[in-house]
Amino acid sequence: VLNEKKLQEVDSLWKEFETPEKANKIVKLKHFEKFQDTAEALAAFTALMEGKINKQLKKVLKKIVKEAHEPLAVADAKLGGVIKEKLNLSCIHSPVVNELMRGIRSQMDGLIPGVEPREMAAMCLGLAHSLSRYRLKFSADKVDTMIVQAISLLDDLDKELNNYIMRCREWYGWHFPELGKIISDNLTYCKCLQKVGDRKNYASAKLSELLPEEVEAEVKAAAEISMGTEVSEEDICNILHLCTQVIEISEYRTQLYEYLQNRMMAIAPNVTVMVGELVGARLIAHAGSLLNLAKHAASTVQILGAEKALFRALKSRRDTPKYGLIYHASLVGQTSPKHKGKISRMLAAKTVLAIRYDAFGEDSSSAMGVENRAKLEARLRTLEDRGIRKISGTGKALAKTEKYEHKSEVKTYDPSGDSTLPTCSKKRKIEQVDKEDEITEKKAKKAKIKVKVEEEEEEKVAEEEETSVKKKKKKGKKKHIKEEPLSEEEPCTSTAIASPEKKKKKKKKRDNED
């Protein structure tokens, strides 16, 4: 500093740095040392931020200590304290120093000779980007956008491969339909087609590299007696072109899967250990980024991917889903259906810890994920064993339990319950049928005889009634002629009249009984 009096006026100090000429009147360059590259500048700047002295800065300050007779102006108070302790150099930090540093930065081009403005601007921009990456704990390896794109592309490739393979099998099936049943693997099927082509070439083709000996012999035997139609060479060329596409896409898919595995181990190693690379990548893609996923609660991560089922359950007031994308994790898959809900909840809680550790932690090891997975596996074993173990009468010893063996009972359909008609277990013989017919005929004859006897009896009763009525009329005529007293004739008339009434009652009883 050339003029210390100007430094006393803090409010008007900026006016002295309006032009390079005015700035040169106040301050003068003592020593300047250039950084070799941006990495060295970033290392020096990060050391200054943490209150440490860089090696290069220490060398420069040692040179200045020998010549300096005045205190050193420092922009950071912590750095000034460190310099004073290690180099025994008096340092000043005040608002005046801050204004002075601001003025020097504004006129850097004029105060430091040999520095071009373009280089200075490029250097400042690169250093600012590097510094912002450092502050955000951001590295080029930890780019979760690559994971989102990779898992999306992997799903698309799986869909396209299924469509292509289905089309290839259906197309070539017209020419050689038996091959699809013999070779179940899709990639091997396409490689066989690419190597042989027409069905007639299978007899002379060598497929030992692709197929076992038994399968190869079966393919050759089926080719000789195939029921497929004849196909032209142009059709075969198009089918072979489709086969090459399937093979190339499947090879690219394996390469992409390896890339995704490596990326997941670099960005989220603990999540990869907990739920696997595919499930972890799908969780990151569903949330948008690793940082967004780290902001979710464990309950949200548990049902992430089952939003439709969740809102449907809330709307209809039913049970909410217990798991979403996390259902495809290996730990949930190997549990029994009874404990899937518990394990998915515990796995979601531990997975959230792993996500936050990967997103915000500085360490890139997977030790925490391995430890948490071991705890979950131990918890799973206790849950599975709890149903098997039973406490004995004393409550101390464990009762012996037999090993579980699954016995499948095959039940057949019983058609006897379908019909309500009585069924005969054995076929009736002709003789039995004849005997039954004779018995029924005899019963019918007896019934007819009984009916005839009853009719004859009724006719007799009717005749008797008629004769009694005639006798009554004759007796009445005699009474008028002889004029006998009524007392002697009453009993006979009463008896004569009473007899037909009794007979009528008997007749009614018989009719009711019949």
Side-chain angles (χ1 to χ4, degrees):
V1 178
L2 299 175
N3 193 354
E4 292 184 3
K5 291 180 181 179
K6 298 277 180 136
L7 296 177
Q8 294 176 2
E9 300 173 359
V10 179
D11 296 333
S12 60
L13 187 60
W14 62 274
K15 293 179 181 178
E16 302 299 327
F17 288 93
E18 286 179 349
T19 58
E21 289 80 11
K22 288 183 178 181
N24 284 320
K25 291 178 182 178
I26 295 176
V27 291
K28 185 181 178 183
L29 182 64
K30 184 76 176 177
H31 184 80
F32 176 73
E33 195 157 341
K34 196 176 180 180
F35 291 113
Q36 292 180 358
D37 53 5
T38 311
E40 190 179 350
L42 179 64
F45 201 92
T46 51
L48 289 174
M49 285 175 65
E50 293 170 1
K52 298 176 182 178
I53 303 173
N54 195 25
K55 289 181 179 180
Q56 197 171 1
L57 179 62
K58 195 180 278 188
K59 288 179 183 178
V60 172
L61 288 174
K62 282 180 180 179
K63 291 179 183 178
I64 294 169
V65 166
K66 296 176 183 178
E67 301 174 0
H69 302 289
E70 296 178 357
L72 182 68
V74 183
D76 189 8
K78 291 181 181 178
L79 182 64
V82 173
I83 291 170
K84 193 173 183 179
E85 285 179 7
K86 293 189 175 181
L87 300 173
N88 198 15
L89 184 65
S90 59
C91 301
I92 299 171
H93 175 72
S94 63
V96 179
V97 174
N98 290 335
E99 286 293 327
L100 184 64
M101 294 290 181
R102 191 177 292 114
I104 291 168
R105 282 198 297 273
S106 64
Q107 297 296 334
M108 188 77 76
D109 301 338
L111 293 172
I112 300 172
V115 177
E116 294 182 2
R118 285 186 179 180
E119 290 182 3
M120 198 71 178
M123 186 269 293
C124 289
L125 185 64
L127 185 61
H129 285 171
S130 302
L131 188 62
S132 61
R133 285 195 190 96
Y134 175 78
R135 283 183 173 177
L136 294 170
K137 306 293 181 186
F138 180 85
S139 65
D141 295 331
K142 289 201 169 187
V143 183
D144 49 9
T145 311
M146 303 300 171
I147 287 176
V148 174
Q149 299 298 331
I151 191 65
S152 301
L153 180 59
L154 197 69
D155 292 338
D156 292 340
L157 284 177
D158 286 336
K159 288 179 183 177
E160 291 299 323
L161 267 175
N162 287 334
N163 289 332
Y164 280 13
I165 289 163
M166 183 183 69
R167 184 65 55 210
C168 184
R169 279 179 176 270
E170 190 175 349
W171 199 353
Y172 194 72
W174 286 96
H175 181 56
F176 189 10
E178 292 83 5
L179 185 65
K181 296 177 182 178
I182 297 167
I183 302 173
S184 58
D185 186 42
N186 294 322
L187 191 60
T188 311
Y189 183 87
C190 292
K191 285 180 179 178
C192 283
L193 292 191
Q194 195 179 33
K195 191 170 185 180
V196 179
D198 198 347
R199 184 182 61 199
K200 298 172 184 176
N201 302 330
Y202 276 97
S204 59
K206 293 182 180 179
L207 301 172
S208 57
E209 297 177 359
L210 301 172
L211 301 171
E213 291 181 2
E214 297 174 358
V215 179
E216 185 181 358
E218 190 177 355
V219 168
K220 289 180 179 180
E224 292 177 0
I225 56 169
S226 178
M227 298 292 290
T229 59
E230 294 296 328
V231 180
S232 64
E233 292 183 2
E234 188 178 357
D235 296 332
I236 292 289
C237 288
N238 285 314
I239 294 169
L240 294 178
H241 184 65
L242 181 60
C243 290
T244 54
Q245 292 290 322
V246 169
I247 293 164
E248 287 175 3
I249 291 171
S250 58
E251 287 175 356
Y252 176 63
R253 190 205 174 279
T254 54
Q255 182 185 348
L256 185 67
Y257 181 68
E258 290 176 2
Y259 165 77
L260 184 65
Q261 280 182 319
N262 297 331
R263 271 290 178 195
M264 281 298 294
M265 285 304 296
I267 293 173
N270 294 290
V271 178
T272 308
V273 170
M274 290 298 296
V275 295
E277 56 275 347
L278 287 176
V279 178
R282 285 196 173 92
L283 287 171
I284 292 168
H286 201 82
S289 66
L290 188 64
L291 290 173
N292 289 344
L293 187 62
K295 293 172 187 175
H296 289 320
S299 57
T300 309
V301 172
Q302 183 182 348
I303 59 168
L304 208 65
E307 288 84 3
K308 284 186 180 178
L310 174 66
F311 291 118
R312 194 191 308 121
L314 292 173
K315 193 175 180 180
S316 59
R317 294 183 181 180
R318 293 179 182 177
D319 294 336
T320 54
K322 294 179 181 178
Y323 26 66
L325 291 169
I326 209 167
Y327 178 79
H328 300 287
S330 59
L331 276 172
V332 180
Q334 68 190 20
T335 56
S336 60
K338 185 180 177 182
H339 302 300
K340 279 187 189 293
K342 277 186 179 180
I343 290 297
S344 62
R345 187 177 66 248
M346 290 187 283
L347 180 62
K350 296 294 183 185
T351 305
V352 165
L353 291 177
I355 291 163
R356 289 169 185 169
Y357 188 82
D358 290 333
F360 304 114
E362 295 180 4
D363 191 11
S364 61
S365 66
S366 60
M368 194 264 281
V370 173
E371 185 181 350
N372 285 336
R373 188 179 174 87
K375 288 179 182 177
L376 281 174
E377 287 174 351
R379 175 66 177 154
L380 176 60
R381 281 195 295 273
T382 55
L383 283 172
E384 294 291 339
D385 294 343
R386 189 181 292 173
I388 299 170
R389 292 181 179 178
K390 293 180 182 179
I391 298 170
S392 63
T394 56
K396 295 179 182 178
L398 292 171
K400 292 182 179 179
T401 55
E402 295 180 359
K403 190 177 180 181
Y404 173 73
E405 292 182 359
H406 179 65
K407 295 177 181 178
S408 61
E409 296 178 358
V410 181
K411 293 183 179 180
T412 57
Y413 178 69
D414 185 13
S416 62
D418 291 346
S419 178
T420 56
L421 298 172
T423 55
C424 297
S425 59
K426 295 179 181 179
K427 291 183 178 180
R428 295 187 296 174
K429 293 181 180 179
I430 297 167
E431 294 176 358
Q432 291 178 353
V433 175
D434 295 338
K435 287 179 183 179
E436 287 177 0
D437 292 339
E438 288 175 2
I439 291 164
T440 52
E441 285 176 359
K442 286 178 182 179
K443 286 180 179 179
K445 286 179 181 179
K446 286 179 182 179
K448 286 179 181 179
I449 292 164
K450 285 180 181 180
V451 171
K452 286 180 180 180
V453 171
E454 288 175 356
E455 287 177 354
E456 289 174 357
E457 288 177 357
E458 287 177 358
E459 288 175 358
K460 288 178 182 179
V461 171
E463 288 175 358
E464 287 175 359
E465 286 178 357
E466 288 176 359
T467 52
S468 63
V469 171
K470 289 177 180 178
K471 286 178 182 179
K472 284 178 185 178
K473 288 178 180 179
K474 288 177 181 180
K475 284 179 182 180
K477 289 177 181 179
K478 288 177 181 179
K479 284 178 185 178
H480 290 292
I481 296 164
K482 292 180 180 180
E483 294 180 357
E484 290 179 356
L486 294 167
S487 59
E488 292 177 1
E489 293 178 2
E490 281 175 0
C492 67
T493 56
S494 63
T495 53
I497 293 162
S499 60
E501 289 177 0
K502 289 179 180 178
K503 289 178 181 179
K504 286 181 179 178
K505 287 179 180 179
K506 288 179 180 179
K507 185 181 178 182
K508 285 181 180 179
K509 285 181 181 179
R510 286 174 184 172
D511 293 336
N512 292 329
E513 288 174 359
D514 293 334

